[in-house]
Amino acid sequence: MRMQQKLISEINKLAREIGRGVNLMEVCGTHTQAISRNGIRQILPENINLITGPGCPVCVSSQKDIDAIVSLALAGIPVATYGDVLRVAGRFGSLDDAREKGARVFGVYDVVEALALQKKYPNLVFFGLGFDTTTPMTAWAIKKGLMVYSSHKIFIPAMQALLDLGEVNIDGFIDPGHVSAIIGSKPYEILGVAQVITGFEAQDILEGILMLLAQIKDGRKEVENQYQRVVKKEGNRKARNLIFEVFEISDGNWRGFGKIPGSGLEIKKEFSHFDAKVKYKNILDKVDFSLSKEPLGCRCGEVVRGLILPKKCPMFGKKCTPENPIGPCMVSLEGACHNFFSSKN
Ligand code: SF4
């Protein structure tokens, strides 16, 4: 606690010395949770704004992918995915809604559970989503014979897209600890902005913020690593090799952004017999994805681009709550709306 107080007083000192508004963006759902849980936003000086970015994989899943996987479930294909995803609603409802209509839909903790389910349901499809952290596990499971609908994404292009869009002035990124454990620190260098790879304890996050403020004060634009106990400069080469053995890079479809070049991962031709988009093309071809639209009035797309805080959405805490979520930012435990609502910040 004494260490945290010292960090807060150093943050205050640097914030005074910088003397202007500073926008720091966290781009990891686990950071979103940790910042809310520890009340970090409230203890920062007024001129330091913590903005939430597109770090929650469920929140950035495209409406098209949600409609596609619900269509497969409604067509009688057994579907398994992470529990958070089941409540994300699309044009045909959510996977939970499909289950109520009799579809075989299963919430799983990981791909090992999905592989076990596949023994009972041989045509089971796993809806795979997430960033560089979860993709190696999906790649491993595909090699073991799991049929997958891939909504996996690569993270750095989304950070680049945020900078290119220029809608929010981002002075620095709190880089994601888990993603960095796989990709290492080098890929962030192309972004040319102050960044600190940061861990998930309150003290880690305060240290990361302090390191960012020191860079901003000095006019440095470096990639620093606060989370050295886990993240190595070279990352995890074995996990990266596994990803690119099974997946190839495509243009990923992100809620709030649309297509981001080079940010998606599709299953390679060699593994196409485990690609649900190939195997069930006949079902998916019948779906008119031009009608896949985000829920009416939901501003999740602006939330993940850091344009608004959840409270700016007129439905926040009224029509949209964790019990009755309208958009994925309220569904997911890592979503900004969910965390702002739960921590009342
Ligand atoms: Fe969408 Fe609900 Fe968040 Fe509003 S509060 S942006 S409706 S998820």
Side-chain angles (χ1 to χ4, degrees):
M1 187 55 89
R2 192 173 297 162
M3 176 56 89
Q4 289 183 16
Q5 277 161 357
K6 188 167 176 276
L7 286 167
I8 293 165
S9 93
E10 286 176 33
I11 286 171
N12 275 296
K13 182 168 173 283
L14 274 182
R16 275 196 306 277
E17 286 170 10
I18 293 169
R20 63 170 175 87
V22 170
N23 290 331
L24 304 180
M25 180 178 270
E26 39 84 8
V27 285
C28 167
T30 313
H31 279 146
T32 308
Q33 285 180 298
I35 286 166
S36 288
R37 191 175 55 243
N38 292 294
I40 288 178
R41 205 168 263 109
Q42 291 88 333
I43 55 174
L44 291 180
E46 252 180 37
N47 62 326
I48 309 300
N49 303 316
L50 271 191
I51 306 171
T52 298
C56 154
V58 177
C59 307
V60 296
S61 59
S62 75
Q63 209 63 40
K64 179 190 169 224
D65 284 344
I66 298 296
D67 286 347
I69 198 69
V70 174
S71 299
L72 292 184
L74 290 172
I77 312 298
V79 168
T81 190
Y82 301 114
D84 264 19
V85 190
L86 301 179
R87 296 172 73 208
V88 180
R91 184 174 149 221
F92 311 111
S94 64
L95 284 169
D96 259 354
D97 296 332
R99 178 163 46 193
E100 275 179 30
K101 289 178 191 156
R104 285 163 298 174
V105 170
F106 306 93
V108 292
Y109 185 70
D110 56 24
V111 288
V112 175
E113 232 183 291
L115 276 166
L117 266 171
Q118 195 192 31
K119 290 201 174 92
K120 191 168 174 196
Y121 304 101
N123 58 341
L124 179 110
V125 168
F126 176 69
F127 182 48
L129 75 168
F131 306 126
D132 316 64
T133 331
T134 50
T135 317
M137 292 183 291
T138 306
W140 170 83
I142 288 172
K143 287 181 72 183
K144 294 268 172 205
L146 187 67
M147 171 83 61
V148 170
Y149 180 105
S150 173
S151 182
H152 282 288
K153 294 177 171 60
I154 303 174
F155 205 73
I156 300 264
M159 296 171 80
Q160 185 70 63
L162 279 166
L163 295 171
D164 292 346
L165 281 169
E167 297 170 313
V168 182
N169 178 34
I170 301 167
D171 294 289
F173 282 115
I174 299 172
D175 285 342
H178 296 140
V179 166
S180 306
I182 305 296
I183 68 173
S185 57
K186 194 145 184 57
Y188 295 103
E189 288 171 9
I190 57 160
L191 297 173
V193 64
Q195 296 165 80
V196 176
I197 296 166
T198 303
F200 299 101
E201 302 298 327
Q203 187 169 320
D204 292 325
I205 294 169
L206 291 172
E207 270 178 23
I209 291 169
L210 184 64
M211 289 164 77
L212 275 173
L213 293 182
Q215 282 202 46
I216 291 161
K217 179 178 166 262
D218 298 346
R220 287 180 287 125
K221 294 183 175 179
E222 296 168 6
V223 181
E224 292 183 293
N225 185 1
Q226 182 277 335
Y227 201 30
Q228 287 183 22
R229 62 187 189 272
V230 171
V231 175
K232 306 295 165 223
K233 195 173 171 61
E234 66 283 2
N236 181 335
R237 188 169 298 141
K238 210 170 150 193
R240 282 201 309 278
N241 287 345
L242 191 52
I243 293 175
F244 293 108
E245 185 185 344
V246 174
F247 290 98
E248 62 191 6
I249 295 175
S250 64
D251 296 340
N253 206 351
W254 296 59
R255 186 180 304 265
F257 292 83
K259 282 236 155 97
I260 302 179
S263 70
L265 287 168
E266 294 295 345
I267 297 168
K268 280 183 173 172
K269 276 207 176 69
E270 300 97 282
F271 294 93
S272 61
H273 39 298
F274 301 123
D275 185 347
K277 292 178 190 173
V278 174
K279 168 111 178 163
Y280 296 115
K281 189 173 180 305
N282 58 331
I283 298 173
L284 297 172
D285 277 352
K286 288 186 195 133
V287 183
D288 183 356
F289 290 112
S290 70
L291 299 175
S292 296
K293 301 260 179 337
E294 290 172 26
L296 195 65
C298 173
R299 299 183 68 184
C300 199
E302 291 162 89
V303 171
V304 298
R305 297 207 311 278
L307 284 181
I308 61 162
L309 288 176
K311 283 180 190 164
K312 284 271 176 196
C313 171
M315 294 198 275
F316 176 82
K318 296 175 187 128
K319 229 172 143 186
C320 183
T321 61
E323 288 71 39
N324 293 298
I326 306 281
C329 295
M330 189 62 92
V331 171
S332 173
L333 300 180
E334 294 189 349
C337 300
H338 185 104
N339 279 285
F340 272 71
F341 184 88
S342 305
S343 64
K344 310 280 182 238
N345 66 14

